[in-house]
Amino acid sequence: MRELKLITKGYAMTIEETLLQSFGPLLSISQLANILDRSPEGLRISLRNSSEWATRINQTRLKIGRRVYFRTSEIAEVLSEDNEIDTRSSV
């Protein structure tokens, strides 16, 4: 079990590093939609829900003027948490 945690932790860092290299510290709504394989409008609609997933994504939100961005490092954490849950449920 300990090895699995180390592998998962290493994988989370890989997600963060990859996203930071590709997009930088902030993601636009269209970039985040691309990562999640959704349309930007579909993502906007999903983020208006009061689901746990939408709440976690919205917590990473940062508004600069009229533009909305999402913190890349925190998005990577959310994605890695989802990956851990998927891995545990499939075992």
Side-chain angles (χ1 to χ4, degrees):
M1 188 70 160
R2 187 174 189 186
E3 290 176 359
L4 180 61
K5 288 182 182 178
L6 292 175
I7 292 169
T8 304
K9 186 175 181 181
Y11 187 67
M13 290 302 294
T14 303
I15 291 172
E16 182 177 3
E17 289 172 358
T18 302
L19 291 177
L20 284 170
Q21 281 183 347
S22 298
F23 301 104
L26 297 175
L27 295 166
S28 68
I29 190 99
S30 60
Q31 290 171 326
L32 181 58
N34 186 32
I35 291 167
L36 298 174
D37 197 28
R38 297 176 179 221
S39 69
E41 192 56 35
L43 180 58
R44 282 187 191 93
I45 291 168
S46 295
L47 292 176
R48 287 189 211 134
N49 287 332
S50 59
S51 68
E52 179 186 345
W53 179 84
T55 302
R56 288 181 13 216
I57 297 291
N58 282 324
Q59 288 172 344
T60 71
R61 198 173 116 156
L62 175 67
K63 197 163 183 185
I64 300 176
R66 295 172 62 189
R67 300 185 186 263
V68 175
Y69 295 99
F70 299 86
R71 293 175 183 92
T72 304
S73 295
E74 293 177 24
I75 291 294
E77 285 179 36
V78 171
L79 294 176
S80 66
E81 288 170 8
D82 286 347
N83 187 41
E84 283 181 24
I85 291 169
D86 289 344
T87 303
R88 279 187 270 154
S89 64
S90 66
V91 172

